[in-house]
Amino acid sequence: MSRSSLLVGAAAFSPLAFIAPSVQNAVPESRLNLAAPARSAQSSSMGTAVVPVAGALCVAGALASRRASRAKVQRRADEAYGASHTSFYTDAVAKDKYDTLDEVLTLKLKDDKLKGMVNELLDACVKITEALRVKNLVTVNDASNAFGDRQLTVDVIADNLLWDLAKTSKFVYEASSEEEPEIVQTNNDGQYVLCWDPLDGSSIVDNNWAVGTIVGVWDKSTGLIGATGRDQVMSLVALYGPRTTVFLTLDDGVYEFTLGDSNQWICSRDKIQIKSDCKIFAPANMRAAQEVDGYNNLIQHYMTNKFTLRYTGGLVPDVCQQFTKGQGVFTNPTSKASPAKLRLAFEAAPFGRLVEMSGGKTSDGVSGNSVLDTKITAVDQRTALAIGSANEVDRFNTMVLQK
């Protein structure tokens, strides 16, 4: 058999025949020596070539080189930003043991009354989870809220569960719901003022998208009217998605608790931190970009610089992604034709406390100051908002507010 025939025969059965040309070219044919003369008489009589040991080692080396090349590409992907790489933003690592809610509260929340309040609120979140997933379809209720909006059945159920809590709890002094924004005294001996949005995301709940509950807690010594978001003693946001998670401010930071087996809460993240820079943006109220050039320019900046768009239209999932991804910015400026819709006490202030305690930043969308410094002058007070990674909130202030 000729030397050229041996080369063809060897290549046909070589693993290198299935390797990309770039890798094959990296290993010269002379080094592979696939058609070296050393072969047995038996193999010669059968007309087949036997790859010598040296050649086999070269093949193995080429395969290793290919694997190393793939690993290098993967590392680049891990460091990249873009729609196909957002999973790499998450750095949560599985633990051998997860602390229970009681274990964490014992160490991280000194106030016993506040511990009791937390436990009652999380019990209500369990009941809302069950109502969303088991008992009720998403249907329109005959009733309307104070603004004439028709309420969905699950909204009413969530609101009723929180009112049941407020009216029976020994810890609640006054309470107010976004559905009926007036302050109701519930227990004269109580300690806290609760403000809640029972089920934020009514416009997307029928799509079976993630929705949530937002709760702000003030001490009765400050009350609500005349106080600021910075006066809160605790805030909480529950996210009802494929799993139920709650983000909660404790004495030393923000913790995530996940609802597990037998409706037990485990601590799935502790001392959450939001980076100063980000590549994820959630642009709400994009109608305002038609009137506010700065907002239009900001959105163009995100697109030009290949930020990843992650926006559902639900405040809870659009801000909570900052806690799981460790970065992100949510923007909701206003214009004359597109006024503010977010409620300060029910939505912006509770989220503001969570984000700022995680190292993020907020803007009131008008002065550029923290939304936590805005005085609450009415229960249903509205506000613009930018919230998330500090440098991007600063960019919002510079480009949209020109401050």
Side-chain angles (χ1 to χ4, degrees), residues 123-139:
D123 285 345
C125 291
V126 172
K127 295 175 183 177
I128 294 172
T129 298
E130 293 173 344
L132 280 167
R133 296 181 179 173
V134 179
K135 298 178 182 177
N136 296 280
L137 297 175
V138 179
T139 56

Side-chain angles (χ1 to χ4, degrees), residues 1 15 19 65 87 112 127 133 148 194 203 236 263-264 273 283 285 292 296 321 346 352 390 394-396:
M1 182 177 290
I19 295 177
S65 175
S87 61
D112 287 336
K127 295 175 183 177
R133 296 181 179 173
L194 297 189
S203 63
L236 171 157
N263 288 335
Q264 299 300 308
Q273 287 295 301
N285 198 14
V292 181
N296 183 56
Q321 66 179 326
F346 300 108
D394 287 341
R395 190 189 309 279
F396 171 90

Side-chain angles (χ1 to χ4, degrees), residues 79-310:
E79 297 167 357
Y81 288 113
S84 62
H85 301 303
T86 51
S87 61
F88 297 125
Y89 296 156
T90 300
D91 58 3
V93 177
K95 301 177 182 178
D96 293 331
K97 178 187 178 297
Y98 290 87
D99 292 335
T100 66
L101 174 65
D102 288 341
E103 288 172 335
V104 174
L105 293 184
T106 297
L107 295 174
K108 303 299 182 180
L109 194 58
K110 295 178 181 178
D111 191 314
D112 287 336
K113 288 185 179 180
L114 206 50
K115 288 178 188 175
M117 188 76 267
V118 167
N119 278 303
E120 290 185 356
L121 284 168
L122 265 62
D123 285 345
C125 291
V126 172
K127 295 175 183 177
I128 294 172
T129 298
E130 293 173 344
L132 280 167
R133 296 181 179 173
V134 179
K135 298 178 182 177
N136 296 280
L137 297 175
V138 179
T139 56
V140 177
N141 189 30
D142 291 336
S144 297
N145 65 14
F147 310 103
D149 300 325
R150 297 185 75 186
Q151 293 175 289
L152 298 176
T153 304
V154 286
D155 289 341
V156 177
I157 292 171
D159 198 35
N160 287 342
L161 287 169
L162 287 165
W163 274 118
D164 288 345
L165 180 161
K167 291 175 180 178
T168 59
S169 172
K170 65 180 181 180
F171 303 112
V172 181
Y173 173 65
E174 293 176 335
S176 183
S177 166
E178 187 188 35
E179 300 298 331
E180 298 290 339
E182 57 184 38
I183 299 173
V184 177
Q185 185 171 347
T186 58
N187 179 3
N188 192 51
D189 295 324
Q191 187 66 38
Y192 304 113
V193 179
L194 297 189
C195 286
W196 65 75
D197 183 344
L199 202 66
D200 185 84
S202 298
S203 63
I204 61 174
V205 70
D206 56 342
N207 296 341
N208 202 23
W209 295 359
V211 293
T213 298
I214 307 171
V215 184
V217 183
W218 283 259
D219 191 84
K220 71 176 182 181
S221 62
T222 64
L224 183 66
I225 303 302
T228 67
R230 209 170 292 284
D231 292 320
Q232 290 173 100
V233 295
M234 191 266 290
S235 67
L236 171 157
V237 172
L239 177 62
Y240 311 111
R243 62 189 184 279
T244 294
T245 56
V246 168
F247 298 93
L248 179 67
T249 61
L250 299 181
D251 291 342
D252 63 345
V254 175
Y255 289 70
E256 179 196 64
F257 294 91
T258 297
L259 187 61
D261 294 338
S262 303
N263 288 335
Q264 299 300 308
W265 295 96
I266 60 170
C267 182
S268 42
R269 284 185 174 85
D270 55 15
K271 289 190 173 182
I272 293 170
Q273 287 295 301
I274 297 172
K275 300 180 182 69
S276 297
D277 293 307
C278 76
K279 282 286 186 173
I280 301 175
F281 76 113
N285 198 14
M286 291 184 68
R287 297 182 186 88
Q290 303 299 313
E291 297 179 88
V292 181
D293 290 340
Y295 194 32
N296 183 56
N297 293 337
L298 180 62
I299 292 172
Q300 291 301 318
H301 168 83
Y302 293 147
M303 302 300 291
T304 301
N305 289 275
K306 299 182 179 180
F307 278 53
T308 297
L309 172 64
R310 286 290 179 267

